[in-house]
Amino acid sequence: MAIPRPKSILTWAIGAAALIAVVALLAFPFRGGGAASAPKTVTIAGIAYPFEGKQAFNGLTGVVIREGWLKAELAKRGVALAFTPVPTAVGGPLINEGFSGKRIDFASYGDFPAIIAISGGVPLRLVTPVGQGQHSYLVVRNGLAANSIAELKGKRIALHRGRPWELPFSKLLDASGLKQSDFKIVNINPAATPAALASGSIDAAFLLSDGLLLEQKGAGRVIWSTKQAPADWRMRAELFGRGDFVDANPELTQLVVDAYVRAAAWSAQDANRDRVIKDSSRGSMPVEIIARDYANDGIPWRERFSPTFTRDVIAHYRSVADYAFARGLVRNKIDVDALIDQRFVAPALRDARLEGFWSPTTPVQAQASAAKAS
């Protein structure tokens, strides 16, 4: 979710070419066979960054690719595995287009875009939660004396609308007795934020770890982050599956979830911490920014990668769905029980002998489909 930072014309060209390729890939069907045909390919989309002449997937998707276990298991069943790289600047909308056109089967991406897709009629399922969420930061331009959101009242704040970090921004306003109309909200992509801050076109910006990078570069000053807020304020990014694919292909879905749970277990080991941070920085952020984003928030390293369903996960998605509907970002109210699909994580933990590896979880409400079947 970080801002790509092109360092040369070559890097920019690689990124532009990748964007064109991804748009073409998601704009046209590439799999043969009708709806009833057994899938020949499982396709997973995720955010990727230009790195050393290639597109690098960070996070659990990068681990899944490197380990090769999922590719090998699918090959045993005559099914190929494809990964679709998506630039962060257009991540959510482009992934939603791929889901809508049934050209991707799974994607690792943010909570807010997923809710928007479901409201538009795409039957997504959350098949694997990932960790404890990501932090957001409020950054003010140099020379501005403000030290709180209240002191920015009437000021111009950059906020990329419809992106996952809009929810924590809204919660910050609510907790401060403020509303968006108290500010001049400027809807710009995070990549345009540094120049806007430097020119004085905006007074502040609400971002993910990009905010730490702006501060490191001397382009602004962080005055607040979700490290100071309740856990539910953090945005989440999980593994979602297309509902019709998941229901028609539970065995293949189980393999995908198994692979992501295995990747989470590898990442959660303290011995792999430095490798995880280094890999997460490829093409996106300096290592020190990744480490700083993780630091001082009280979350144990292992729990950052927990794939378990908890009451907090369910409550978070109810909160996102309610907010999106109340603010008019979606037209239809979301049935969160239909979104949550708990069928696959427990078997993945059992088969990998990972039961008890993460903190015990509180039992959560069974999904609506299971209740109807009983």
Side-chain angles (χ1 to χ4, degrees):
M1 301 298 298
I3 300 174
R5 297 177 295 107
K7 296 179 180 178
S8 66
I9 296 298
L10 176 59
T11 303
W12 178 89
I14 291 169
L19 175 57
I20 294 170
V22 169
V23 171
L25 186 61
L26 294 180
F28 299 98
F30 57 84
R31 289 207 293 272
S37 302
K40 298 179 181 179
T41 305
V42 170
T43 304
I44 303 173
I47 302 300
Y49 303 89
F51 181 71
E52 295 183 350
K54 301 177 181 179
Q55 290 294 305
F57 290 85
N58 297 341
L60 298 189
T61 299
V63 179
V64 169
I65 293 172
R66 185 179 72 241
E67 286 189 340
W69 180 88
L70 178 58
K71 182 178 180 180
E73 290 299 314
L74 289 173
K76 293 176 184 177
R77 295 157 176 81
V79 179
L81 176 62
F83 290 93
T84 299
V86 180
T88 184
V90 291
L94 206 56
I95 287 173
N96 284 348
E97 288 180 18
F99 271 134
S100 179
K102 298 187 178 182
R103 291 177 289 272
I104 60 175
D105 307 309
F106 299 92
S108 178
Y109 78 137
D111 45 18
F112 225 2
I115 291 294
I116 292 171
I118 298 164
S119 177
V122 181
L124 293 188
R125 303 283 179 77
L126 198 176
V127 293
T128 313
V130 180
Q132 307 298 321
Q134 295 174 267
H135 289 297
S136 303
Y137 299 86
L138 178 61
V139 184
V140 299
R141 62 174 172 81
N142 291 328
L144 190 63
N147 289 299
S148 70
I149 186 67
E151 294 177 51
L152 291 172
K153 193 171 181 178
K155 302 292 186 180
R156 297 157 297 181
I157 301 180
L159 175 70
H160 203 192
R161 303 300 302 271
R163 302 302 292 273
W165 52 93
E166 186 171 349
L167 182 64
F169 178 73
S170 176
K171 291 189 174 186
L172 174 60
L173 297 187
D174 290 344
S176 304
L178 300 165
K179 50 187 180 298
Q180 288 198 13
S181 58
D182 290 325
F183 308 88
K184 298 173 183 176
I185 302 299
V186 183
N187 184 17
I188 61 174
N189 189 292
T193 301
L197 275 176
S199 67
S201 300
I202 58 174
D203 300 298
F206 199 82
L207 302 159
L208 295 182
S209 54
D210 315 72
L212 294 176
L213 183 62
L214 286 174
E215 185 173 68
Q216 183 194 61
K217 290 186 170 183
R221 177 170 53 92
V222 173
I223 63 170
W224 182 89
S225 80
T226 47
K227 293 181 182 183
Q228 304 162 232
D232 184 55
W233 289 30
R234 296 191 289 268
M235 65 144 284
R236 296 186 62 90
E238 335 275 4
L239 181 66
F240 294 88
R242 207 179 71 242
D244 55 333
F245 181 93
V246 169
D247 289 340
N249 302 280
E251 180 188 5
L252 298 183
T253 299
Q254 187 65 65
L255 288 175
V256 173
V257 173
D258 288 351
Y260 274 80
V261 168
R262 289 164 58 100
W266 181 88
S267 301
Q269 296 177 45
D270 196 66
N272 296 328
R273 182 193 300 241
D274 290 345
R275 175 69 184 274
V276 169
I277 292 175
K278 180 180 179 181
D279 287 351
S280 296
S281 73
R282 295 181 302 175
S284 60
M285 290 283 167
V287 167
E288 58 269 24
I289 294 297
I290 302 293
R292 185 179 167 195
D293 187 40
Y294 282 144
N296 302 319
D297 61 5
I299 302 174
W301 181 258
R302 176 176 294 195
E303 298 303 321
R304 293 184 186 280
F305 305 94
S306 173
T308 56
F309 284 98
T310 65
R311 290 190 184 278
D312 288 343
V313 171
I314 310 302
H316 176 83
Y317 277 89
R318 294 195 193 286
S319 175
V320 175
D322 289 346
Y323 170 80
F325 183 71
R327 295 296 190 276
L329 294 173
V330 298
R331 294 182 179 179
N332 304 305
K333 191 114 181 199
I334 303 303
D335 181 359
V336 173
D337 287 330
L339 164 66
I340 304 299
D341 196 333
Q342 302 178 54
R343 291 177 290 173
F344 305 102
V345 168
L349 292 171
R350 182 188 63 240
D351 293 348
R353 299 182 180 180
L354 290 169
E355 293 174 305
F357 182 78
W358 284 281
S359 296
T361 60
T362 304
V364 295
Q365 177 184 348
Q367 64 189 71
S369 58
K372 292 177 182 176
S374 60

